Amino acid sequence: MKKLLGEIHGRSLWQVLGIYLAGSWIALQVVETLTESAALPDWVPSLALVLLVIGFPIVMATAFVQHGVGNRQTAEKVPAAAEGTLEATSEPSPAVEPAPAATIRSPGTAHGLFTWKRAILGGVGAAALLGVALGGWMVMRTLGIGSAGTLVAKGVLEDQAMVLLTEFESEDASLSRAATEAFRVDLEQSRVIDLAGPGFVAAALSRMELDPDVHLDGAIGRELAEREGMPALIAGEITAAGTSYVLTAQVISTDDGDVLAAERETAADDAELVPAINRLSKKLRERIGESLTDLAAGPSLERVTTSDLEALRLYSRAVRASDIGQNQEAADLLEETVARDSSFAMAWRKLGMVHVSGGGQLGQFTRGIEALTRAYQLRDRLTERERHLATAGYFSEVEQDPRRAAAAYEQMLENDPTDNWALNNLAIIVGPDFGEYDRAVELLERALEVDTLSQNHHWNLSVAQTSAGDLEGARGTVELWVRRLPEDPMAFGFLSVFEAAERNYEAADSLAVESARVRPGNLFDQALASRLLGMSAAARGRLSEALAHLGDSEATYSEVGAPGEALNAAVIAARVDLNVSGDRESAATRLDDAIVRYPLEDMGPLDVPWGGLSEAYAIAKGADAGRDMIARWETADPNAAADSDHGLTTGWVALAEGNTEEALVHFRDADQPGCQVCAMPALAAAHEAAGRPDSATVYLERYLERPYFFRLAEDGRYLGGTVERLGQLYDQQGDLENAAKYYAMFVELWAEADEELQPRVQAAQARLEEILRERG
């Protein structure tokens, strides 16, 4: 203390002024930083400023009383013993000359009152006062006392209560959506409230007989919250004032409409709007009861979303389009979004999932992989939940490492057991990849309880139930989906697929046509419906009809700019030629013409249907052609060998060369939980080639009996030939009962087959009649 006081005594009035102002500025910067980083209340910097302002005249008066306005050299001549603030030494230094009388102030009241020791102690006291005030505020906040008490601490809201976010009111509809989406992103990080998700809200609006896309204003929001038992809702408003904005947000009681908490922020211009939304959300979360630690640790909104308002507008429109199944529009909007802000990680992740979900139906799977990779690279710019989603998407789709993807979803569920995205996505890993279909069903049932209007949850639950052998449950799920979402074309498409899996082809065709009518003019819906109709016709031997529908599908995909899907339709047509009519020459011609129309090098490397293309070439044109196509596949896709279709193709190449045992090894490897029937015809063919008809019979029966939701894709190619061949094999083995069974099944299935296929039907009919005569 003596050293410090001595140093201060050596400073002039002007030096003290400069030091105080500089020190005050530094102190305020430190307080501001602590307030922001530790989420302290806004009054802390204000109180610090007030205390510094109060201290300013005291410090300056002390400097004047002690030094006047003299310079340092004069002040240094004043002996320490002369100051009332310093203790005189017992032996004053004889080397110090007494200052001239004019420079020495006589001790007086002011001189004794304004001392540096008292000034320093006063500063310490001011700091202590600030600390006491802050500590008192913290105690009142925790105990729910007064205005400092949080809503949770006061018992107004329970911890983890579900709260509804209504849409911000604004004259600019796109600004309203953007602000609401940004506010949602920040509120979803809260550990104190459970924000009602979009799917839950859509389901609740449906129960209110309202369009799920309705503008969710405060009035509708309060009615919804009351019906669903939510204690409060959050409403906001953005008002433009010239180039600036005024933002307000309120927590409103559902019961009586009272405002429980309200906050306000301003933004000078568009560039300041996202930071203002961030500050507003943080304030409201603090008033609700979010811990200061969590608020301080949470990333800023502009970091985990974007600082570009126009990019945020585009993203919010894309999310809305994706939610209602307009994936192409969503993809286009997301491309605009990332073009404006290439570091917008959430937009990259959303773009990736739009392209890879549903098997890459938009025909740009490569772009989806690129987007998911970019999102993973930017994962430090995501909220915790989005970071887990990006990680899982990357390992699932890019690295094809289902265990690491599952680990990310497990972590999400550990954080929130009701996270329906994690429940859904984990289920579609543990089922197809791990064969744990019962667990997949349980996870998806939980997800559907959270979001009753999710297309994905109905879709995946019905598939998992079929794979688990619960066909009745699967039908119930799909029928429920149609009732809940009568304007979802995919619901009718799935019911069509289900009817086809049970070989109710007339009903399947009617539903496929309906799926294309729900959204008139949607070419993707039309292309998918044409493919369903084509495979349904092929399963019944109606070859020309099947090829016409598949041609329509190809043309439509080509029109919408999805060359990979167009090529896939052409490959399916070639496979129908191969497996239904047995016409290898026609199939080879179709394949060669198709890759001229759709050059492989002009497509993204992952947009080419490599598996089907390679397999078709191997069967239609022989081992060399198949091997060449596999080599191109492996060059384009480093993960090609992990694909079950790669094993099938490699097996067909081996079979074409006469290596039946090698073929069997590859076919067995390709028999994976993701498709329970895909390898069965190949295994049967290999056993027949090896001279083991009994084993071939086993695998053909497994093909017919194994439950598989999407079996129409396989039945269109294999069903007719399978039942026909089973009749022949049982006939050769002398099992006339089973022979008659399968001959009859074949005759009924192909009753309306094309004329060129009728000789096969007639042969089966004739043999069936012989067996019936023999057996009496």
Side-chain angles (χ1 to χ4, degrees), residues 417-480:
T418 65
D419 192 313
N420 61 308
W421 286 19
L423 290 166
N424 179 84
N425 294 351
L426 180 60
I428 61 178
I429 290 176
V430 301
D433 289 303
F434 304 157
E436 299 175 7
Y437 287 106
D438 288 340
R439 188 184 180 209
V441 168
E442 183 265 331
L443 289 167
L444 288 161
E445 286 176 341
R446 287 166 55 192
L448 203 53
E449 288 177 3
V450 176
D451 186 351
T452 59
L453 292 186
S454 168
Q455 178 195 81
N456 285 336
H457 299 348
H458 289 93
W459 172 329
N460 293 318
L461 177 57
S462 59
V463 173
Q465 287 170 319
T466 302
S467 300
D470 183 9
L471 299 183
E472 183 178 351
R475 173 179 284 279
T477 297
V478 179
E479 291 175 346
L480 179 63

Side-chain angles (χ1 to χ4, degrees), residues 33 107 116 120 130 176 184 186 195 220 284 321 361 444 479 502 520 582 598-599 637 649 762:
T33 301
W116 285 121
I120 292 173
L130 179 63
S176 169
R184 174 179 298 283
D186 193 68
L195 193 68
I220 297 175
L284 208 63
Q361 291 178 355
L444 288 161
E479 291 175 346
E502 295 197 324
Y598 311 107
D637 180 8
T649 303
Q762 293 164 4

Side-chain angles (χ1 to χ4, degrees), residues 123-451:
V124 172
L129 176 62
L130 179 63
V132 169
L134 183 58
W137 176 85
M138 294 284 286
V139 170
M140 294 173 66
R141 179 180 189 275
T142 303
L143 297 179
I145 300 172
S147 60
T150 68
L151 299 183
V152 171
K154 290 179 177 180
V156 176
L157 285 180
E158 293 183 2
D159 192 22
Q160 292 298 309
M162 179 174 281
V163 175
L164 174 68
L165 173 64
T166 63
E167 294 188 39
F168 270 67
E169 297 297 332
S170 172
E171 294 181 357
D172 183 341
S174 67
L175 179 61
S176 169
R177 287 193 294 268
T180 304
E181 187 63 32
F183 213 69
R184 174 179 298 283
V185 170
D186 193 68
L187 287 177
E188 282 179 340
Q189 299 181 65
S190 174
R191 298 180 184 275
V192 177
I193 59 171
D194 178 14
L195 193 68
F200 181 92
V201 174
L205 288 170
S206 180
R207 288 189 288 271
M208 294 169 65
E209 299 184 350
L210 293 173
D211 186 343
D213 201 34
V214 69
H215 176 72
L216 187 61
D217 59 20
I220 297 175
R222 185 179 169 195
E223 181 182 351
L224 186 153
E226 187 172 10
R227 289 168 61 101
E228 299 299 326
M230 288 183 269
L233 60 145
I234 297 173
E237 184 177 4
I238 300 180
T239 304
T243 60
S244 62
Y245 300 93
V246 177
L247 299 86
T248 58
Q250 299 176 330
V251 180
I252 300 172
S253 170
T254 301
D255 289 339
D256 51 24
D258 285 351
V259 176
L260 304 177
E263 292 294 344
R264 181 177 182 274
E265 270 292 341
T266 59
D269 51 31
D270 286 357
E272 286 296 315
L273 190 58
V274 176
I277 294 172
N278 182 69
R279 295 192 299 272
L280 183 65
S281 177
K282 292 290 192 293
K283 283 182 177 180
L284 208 63
R285 287 170 60 190
E286 184 271 316
R287 290 289 304 277
I288 292 171
E290 198 81 29
S291 78
L292 300 183
T293 302
D294 286 343
L295 288 172
S300 64
L301 189 58
E302 58 267 36
R303 177 172 178 79
V304 296
T305 56
T306 177
S307 58
D308 186 323
L309 179 59
E310 184 58 29
L312 186 59
R313 289 176 189 261
L314 290 166
Y315 176 77
S316 63
R317 288 172 56 196
V319 170
R320 181 69 61 92
S322 177
D323 286 344
I324 61 175
Q326 299 285 5
N327 286 333
Q328 185 59 62
E329 180 183 351
D332 293 341
L333 288 166
L334 288 165
E335 290 288 3
E336 291 186 60
T337 303
V338 297
R340 287 193 62 91
D341 184 355
S342 61
S343 64
F344 194 168
M346 286 180 69
W348 281 113
R349 193 197 71 78
K350 189 69 174 177
L351 177 61
M353 294 312 299
V354 165
H355 279 305
V356 304
S357 62
Q361 291 178 355
L362 298 184
Q364 297 186 42
F365 197 83
T366 301
R367 182 56 172 162
I369 295 300
E370 292 171 351
L372 289 175
T373 301
R374 182 65 175 144
Y376 182 71
Q377 292 168 345
L378 295 169
R379 62 190 181 279
D380 63 330
R381 299 183 64 87
L382 292 168
T383 63
E384 182 183 7
R385 180 174 181 271
E386 282 279 331
R387 186 163 58 251
H388 287 310
L389 286 171
T391 299
Y394 175 79
F395 283 110
S396 177
E397 302 294 342
V398 182
E399 295 293 335
Q400 296 184 19
D401 185 342
R403 296 202 176 275
R404 294 185 71 177
Y409 292 129
E410 294 279 15
Q411 183 60 56
M412 290 177 66
L413 291 177
E414 188 173 320
N415 295 340
D416 179 6
T418 65
D419 192 313
N420 61 308
W421 286 19
L423 290 166
N424 179 84
N425 294 351
L426 180 60
I428 61 178
I429 290 176
V430 301
D433 289 303
F434 304 157
E436 299 175 7
Y437 287 106
D438 288 340
R439 188 184 180 209
V441 168
E442 183 265 331
L443 289 167
L444 288 161
E445 286 176 341
R446 287 166 55 192
L448 203 53
E449 288 177 3
V450 176
D451 186 351

Side-chain angles (χ1 to χ4, degrees), residues 391-713:
T391 299
Y394 175 79
F395 283 110
S396 177
E397 302 294 342
V398 182
E399 295 293 335
Q400 296 184 19
D401 185 342
R403 296 202 176 275
R404 294 185 71 177
Y409 292 129
E410 294 279 15
Q411 183 60 56
M412 290 177 66
L413 291 177
E414 188 173 320
N415 295 340
D416 179 6
T418 65
D419 192 313
N420 61 308
W421 286 19
L423 290 166
N424 179 84
N425 294 351
L426 180 60
I428 61 178
I429 290 176
V430 301
D433 289 303
F434 304 157
E436 299 175 7
Y437 287 106
D438 288 340
R439 188 184 180 209
V441 168
E442 183 265 331
L443 289 167
L444 288 161
E445 286 176 341
R446 287 166 55 192
L448 203 53
E449 288 177 3
V450 176
D451 186 351
T452 59
L453 292 186
S454 168
Q455 178 195 81
N456 285 336
H457 299 348
H458 289 93
W459 172 329
N460 293 318
L461 177 57
S462 59
V463 173
Q465 287 170 319
T466 302
S467 300
D470 183 9
L471 299 183
E472 183 178 351
R475 173 179 284 279
T477 297
V478 179
E479 291 175 346
L480 179 63
W481 180 4
V482 172
R483 291 197 301 273
R484 284 174 170 174
L485 297 168
E487 297 182 357
D488 183 357
M490 194 59 70
F492 292 96
F494 255 63
L495 191 52
S496 172
V497 169
F498 188 87
E499 293 289 2
E502 295 197 324
R503 300 178 185 120
N504 301 323
Y505 292 112
E506 295 298 332
D509 290 353
S510 176
L511 288 161
V513 171
E514 185 64 25
S515 73
R517 291 176 178 167
V518 174
R519 294 187 296 199
N522 188 297
L523 296 180
F524 284 97
D525 294 346
Q526 293 175 20
L528 180 58
S530 294
R531 183 179 297 182
L532 295 176
L533 291 167
M535 299 311 288
S536 172
R540 290 172 284 172
R542 290 151 58 167
L543 190 61
S544 57
E545 180 184 340
L547 294 175
H549 282 305
L550 291 170
D552 289 342
S553 181
E554 177 189 340
T556 306
Y557 276 123
S558 180
E559 182 180 349
V560 297
E565 287 299 310
L567 175 58
N568 192 34
V571 170
I572 293 172
R575 296 295 301 276
V576 168
D577 268 337
L578 279 173
N579 301 115
V580 177
S581 66
D583 191 340
R584 293 192 176 189
E585 183 177 347
S586 175
T589 300
R590 284 184 185 280
L591 292 170
D592 288 340
D593 290 346
I595 62 174
V596 171
R597 290 195 302 275
Y598 311 107
L600 305 186
E601 59 273 12
D602 291 350
M603 286 183 255
L606 301 181
D607 296 339
V608 178
W610 290 111
L613 184 63
S614 301
E615 186 177 339
Y617 261 102
I619 299 172
K621 301 188 71 171
D624 289 342
R627 191 181 294 106
D628 289 344
M629 196 58 69
I630 291 173
R632 296 180 70 175
W633 181 6
E634 291 172 343
T635 300
D637 180 8
N639 295 316
D643 194 316
S644 60
D645 283 344
H646 186 278
L648 283 173
T649 303
T650 307
W652 284 113
V653 168
L655 194 59
E657 294 174 332
N659 300 324
T660 56
E661 296 308 315
E662 180 185 343
L664 282 167
V665 170
H666 291 299
F667 291 152
R668 290 189 189 106
D669 289 342
D671 184 18
Q672 298 177 3
C675 179
Q676 293 94 324
V677 302
C678 293
M680 298 300 104
L683 285 162
H687 278 293
E688 272 215 74
R692 295 189 287 268
D694 290 353
S695 296
T697 301
V698 169
Y699 282 107
L700 289 176
E701 288 205 319
R702 285 185 186 175
Y703 172 81
L704 292 179
E705 295 169 0
R706 278 189 173 183
Y708 182 51
F709 195 97
F710 297 108
R711 66 177 306 125
L712 177 60

